[in-house]
């Protein structure tokens, strides 16, 4: 796998992670680098520390698959920095068509993950239902809201990174539920180093812990874990459904109304509740486009979930 190929996969992950409801972990999975990514993260361990203390920097670099991580992180960072303003503007000015595109992405990603479960037994089907239920509960819940300050930023990073690495769970959406999405997006667009460094520290800490838990689950109960992850992804479709009715609002610190709880509705109901044009034709085209894009990526990069 070339450095350019890894960089482009990182760019896809970064684009996905900045969007509430879309998972960078899903992009890593369908582009064939998921196992390699988990392995690289798990190698940030005591063996690495011993190599560094011994001055064996080349061996340490190879131990963590440094060339792979450097290309991947560069792709993620450049993608997030370049797309943050555009995504923020689209979410503000054209949310319905944008969510329609995301819906197509997630629907196709769900089907990709379903194919990774070799045989659907009762237990695996049960895990699928549980995952779907958990995701729906999260999706339809009101925003929790985190305490402000750098402590809240650190904890948000710790929790959100666990979601970002999972196929089917959106770290950005977790930030939305925690009431921290706007804060982190603003930090990215304004390049607020203090907030970004603290968030990165929280994310790094969470990544070290959660990658090991996920590796353990995938090693001992791969099919059931994949069924659970597929359920997460299936339930998250409620998050990215384009037409929603707002059930509850709050006034944010800028004095503006902010939706804190929404439920999916039909285009006709959306028109009734909001008075806005549902743009059904455009949304349908964008759903199909998003769906086709995921299938193109999956077919272009070969075997899903392996190094490819």
């Amino acid at each position: 796998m070339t450095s350019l190929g890894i960089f482009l996969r990182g760019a896809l992950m970064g684009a996905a992670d900045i969007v509430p409801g879309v998972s960078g972990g899903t992009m890593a999975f369908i582009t064939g680098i998921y196992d390699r990514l988990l392995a690289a993260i798990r190698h940030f361990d005591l063996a690495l520390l011993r190599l560094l203390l011994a001055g064996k920097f080349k061996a340490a670099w190879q131990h963590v698959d440094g060339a792979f991580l450097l290309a991947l992180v560069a792709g993620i960072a450049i993608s997030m920095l370049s797309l943050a303003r555009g995504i923020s503007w689209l979410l503000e000015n054209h949310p319905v068509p944008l969510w329609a595109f995301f819906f197509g992405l997630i629907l196709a990603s769900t089907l990709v993950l379903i194919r990774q479960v070799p045989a659907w037994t009762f237990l695996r089907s049960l895990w699928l239902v549980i995952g779907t239920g958990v995701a729906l509960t999260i999706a339809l819940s009101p925003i929790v809201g985190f305490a402000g300050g750098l402590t809240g930023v650190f904890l948000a990073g710790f929790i959100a990174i666990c979601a970002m690495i999972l196929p089917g769970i959106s770290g950005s959406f977790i930030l939305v539920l925690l009431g921290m999405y706007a804060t982190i997006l603003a930090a990215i667009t304004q390049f607020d180093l203090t907030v970004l460094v603290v968030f990165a520290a929280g994310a790094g800490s969470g990544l070290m812990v959660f990658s090991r838990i996920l590796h353990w689950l995938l090693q001992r109960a791969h099919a059931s874990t994949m069924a659970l992850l597929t359920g997460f992804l299936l339930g998250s479709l409620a998050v990215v459904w384009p037409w929603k009715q707002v059930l509850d609002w709050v006034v944010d610190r800028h004095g503006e109304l902010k939706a804190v709880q929404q439920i999916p509705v039909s285009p006709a109901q959306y028109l009734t509740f909001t008075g806005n044009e549902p743009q059904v034709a455009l949304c349908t085209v964008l759903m199909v486009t998003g769906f086709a894009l995921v299938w193109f990526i999956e077919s272009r990069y070969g075997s899903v979930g392996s190094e490819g």
Side-chain angles (χ1 to χ4, degrees):
M1 186 183 296
T2 66
S3 295
L4 178 60
I6 296 169
F7 175 86
L8 292 176
R9 287 164 169 83
L12 287 172
M13 289 181 65
D17 272 330
I18 206 167
V19 177
V22 185
S23 168
T26 298
M27 290 300 158
F29 198 89
I30 67 176
T31 57
I33 60 171
Y34 194 67
D35 290 345
R36 187 174 179 181
L37 175 59
L38 283 182
I41 293 170
R42 286 189 296 104
H43 284 144
F44 282 83
D45 51 16
L46 291 177
L48 172 64
L49 182 60
R50 286 193 291 268
L51 289 171
L52 291 174
L53 292 176
K56 299 179 179 179
F57 300 115
K58 183 177 180 180
W61 180 257
Q62 294 172 342
H63 180 71
V64 298
D65 202 355
F68 166 78
L69 287 180
L70 179 62
L72 189 71
V73 170
I76 292 172
I78 290 175
S79 178
M80 293 184 74
L81 290 172
S82 60
L83 291 177
R85 291 183 184 275
I87 293 294
S88 181
W89 184 84
L90 288 171
L91 285 172
E92 180 70 25
N93 296 282
H94 303 284
V96 173
L98 185 63
W99 286 122
F101 178 70
F102 296 154
F103 186 89
L105 290 176
I106 297 300
L107 181 60
S109 299
T110 302
L111 298 180
V112 169
L113 285 189
I114 284 177
R115 293 166 56 193
Q116 304 311 304
V117 180
W120 282 95
T121 64
F122 173 78
L123 181 59
R124 292 167 189 172
S125 299
L126 181 61
W127 281 117
L128 175 71
V129 172
I130 291 172
T132 304
V134 169
L136 282 172
T137 300
I138 294 173
L140 301 178
S141 297
I143 290 176
V144 175
F146 250 29
L150 296 180
T151 300
V153 171
F154 180 91
L155 292 175
F158 188 96
I159 295 171
I161 197 63
C162 298
M164 287 178 183
I165 198 173
L166 278 174
I169 301 294
S170 164
S172 292
F173 181 62
I174 295 299
L175 290 177
V176 170
L177 291 179
L178 297 176
M180 295 294 290
Y181 182 72
T183 299
I184 302 305
L185 191 63
I188 293 173
T189 56
Q190 298 167 14
F191 204 62
D192 187 331
L193 276 177
T194 301
V195 173
L196 291 177
V197 168
V198 172
F199 182 77
S205 301
L207 197 58
M208 293 301 101
V209 174
F210 188 70
S211 63
R212 286 162 171 76
I213 296 174
L214 183 58
H215 174 75
W216 185 88
L217 288 172
L218 287 171
Q219 287 293 311
R220 286 159 178 77
H222 185 273
S224 294
T225 302
M226 290 308 304
L228 180 67
L229 297 180
T230 302
F232 288 155
L233 195 58
L234 185 62
S236 72
L237 287 172
V239 181
V240 292
W241 180 249
W243 303 284
K244 304 181 185 77
Q245 177 191 0
V246 178
L247 298 181
D248 197 11
W249 301 82
V250 295
V251 178
D252 66 15
R253 59 193 178 94
H254 301 294
E256 299 177 352
L257 285 176
K258 182 177 182 180
V260 293
Q261 188 174 18
Q262 303 179 83
I263 59 171
V265 296
S266 70
Q269 290 174 312
Y270 174 82
L271 176 61
T272 300
F273 291 133
T274 67
N276 297 326
E277 173 59 45
Q279 301 173 276
V280 176
L282 175 60
C283 288
T284 301
V285 170
L286 289 172
M287 283 180 184
V288 173
T289 302
F291 189 97
L293 179 60
V294 170
W295 280 99
F296 169 77
I297 292 170
E298 195 273 341
S299 61
R300 170 66 179 81
Y301 292 105
S303 178
V304 177
S306 66
E307 289 185 26

